[in-house]
Amino acid sequence: MRTTCRWTTVRRRRSTNTCRWKAVRCDGDRSDADTWAQAQAPRRRILSGAFVATAVALGGNLGGCTSWTLEQLPASWTDAAKLDRVYPVRGKKRCYDAARGYEFLYPMDWLADRTLYVMAADRVPKLDPGPLDAAARKNKRQREPVAGFGPPGTDGEVNVSVVMASVPPGFQWNAMGAPEQAAHALLDKSIAPPGSQKRATLLDAQERTDRTGQLYYTMEYVVETPRWKRHNNAVYAIRRDVLYTLNVVAPESQWEKQENELRPIVESFCLVPTQPQTW
């Protein structure tokens, strides 16, 4: 190690101008630990700055870096962590409502629209088949729109909505028969009843269950009037006397062009365990 010395002058007496040179301190006298610590200081500052910059970039999804990072992870991991509620992953964001107990994926550029909630409430069928009608008339059941999303800058004709409505206690889907039979009953009694000037055409009706055994009915149908024609793809589920309805709707003229974007929304819908809200 190279040794350098610093020198200073010290006067012997106040009465003379004679002076001598005296070595005060030599760098070579410093310990190796002091030298190492001084060398590490710039490195720590560089690492700290890099960490902060990375945190800011990831937290703000600058340049889509957070989305890209999440897309490199297994889909099962991102689904479990539900980070796609905040950052788009594979072009989708997640609507997750732990208090009400449902979730689904929607296109990342769609925005929440309060007006869609009200529009969606009018599309929810009333599940009061047969002898249950009399009991249903005793209590007015409220239909509660809870979510609505659509493309920005549009007239709302293309959208997805979720509505919750109460059903008679103990009601189950098998009370309405197989999926196709239940679908026709909903279309004829609730969605396009006689005298409504609506005509409904059923395209498909299926059922599926998730890993918890929850049953879902799906319906694809077209409703038309003299003024408009709309393509609907809906999924229904009942839990604890509450009917959950997710419906994706688009003008029939646009459905084929946007089908690959719209159909996965219905397929992703599922019920999840409810959790109390914490504020």
Side-chain angles (χ1 to χ4, degrees):
M1 179 174 61
R2 182 179 179 182
T3 302
T4 58
C5 296
R6 294 187 177 89
W7 301 87
T8 185
T9 60
V10 178
R11 297 189 181 275
R12 287 183 176 179
R13 296 183 183 87
R14 189 173 298 177
S15 60
T16 66
N17 293 328
T18 307
C19 55
R20 65 182 177 84
W21 293 95
K22 179 181 178 181
V24 176
R25 181 173 61 84
C26 292
D27 290 344
D29 296 334
R30 291 184 300 177
S31 67
D32 291 341
D34 291 339
T35 305
W36 183 88
Q38 189 178 33
Q40 294 303 309
R43 181 179 301 177
R44 285 195 296 269
R45 287 195 292 269
I46 293 172
L47 292 176
S48 298
F51 176 80
V52 172
T54 302
V56 170
L58 290 175
N61 197 26
L62 298 180
C65 62
T66 307
S67 296
W68 181 87
T69 301
L70 295 176
E71 289 172 4
Q72 311 313 307
L73 301 173
S76 58
W77 191 91
T78 55
D79 290 346
K82 302 189 187 306
L83 292 176
D84 48 1
R85 288 182 292 172
V86 181
Y87 307 108
V89 178
R90 300 175 184 89
K92 300 286 193 300
K93 291 189 73 174
R94 183 181 304 269
C95 176
Y96 175 75
D97 192 327
R100 296 184 176 94
Y102 69 87
E103 67 177 3
F104 64 92
L105 302 177
Y106 63 93
M108 67 179 186
D109 58 339
W110 284 23
L111 303 176
D113 189 343
R114 178 64 61 175
T115 60
L116 297 178
Y117 296 6
V118 179
M119 295 167 55
D122 295 331
R123 301 193 189 106
V124 178
K126 300 179 181 65
L127 299 183
D128 297 321
L132 295 176
D133 286 338
R137 285 192 294 269
K138 294 181 181 180
N139 298 299
K140 183 180 179 181
R141 296 184 175 86
Q142 295 182 344
R143 291 168 290 173
E144 181 186 2
V146 293
F149 296 88
T154 63
D155 56 7
E157 284 294 298
V158 178
N159 65 79
V160 58
S161 59
V162 178
V163 177
M164 296 171 62
S166 60
V167 296
F171 178 82
Q172 298 295 331
W173 279 116
N174 54 17
M176 300 183 67
E180 187 171 350
Q181 182 181 357
H184 280 297
L186 292 176
L187 293 177
D188 296 340
K189 294 182 179 181
S190 299
I191 296 175
S196 65
Q197 295 187 334
K198 297 178 183 178
R199 186 176 68 177
T201 303
L202 180 65
L203 303 178
D204 188 35
Q206 302 287 337
E207 69 176 58
R208 62 177 170 89
T209 56
D210 61 22
R211 59 188 179 185
T212 68
Q214 175 67 51
L215 178 65
Y216 303 85
Y217 271 24
T218 61
M219 286 174 46
E220 186 173 356
Y221 58 95
V222 174
V223 179
E224 58 182 306
T225 71
R227 296 183 294 108
W228 48 259
K229 186 176 184 180
R230 296 179 181 139
H231 197 117
N232 296 261
N233 197 356
V235 56
Y236 306 93
I238 295 175
R239 183 175 64 183
R240 294 194 288 271
D241 301 331
V242 175
L243 169 66
Y244 294 76
T245 302
L246 177 142
N247 187 52
V248 175
V249 62
E252 178 64 15
S253 60
Q254 298 182 35
W255 179 264
E256 185 175 356
K257 180 175 63 177
Q258 297 185 258
E259 180 178 359
N260 291 338
E261 181 180 45
L262 301 178
R263 194 176 296 280
I265 301 175
V266 177
E267 297 171 351
S268 69
F269 180 78
C270 67
L271 302 187
V272 298
T274 55
Q275 301 175 9
Q277 286 184 324
T278 57
W279 302 97

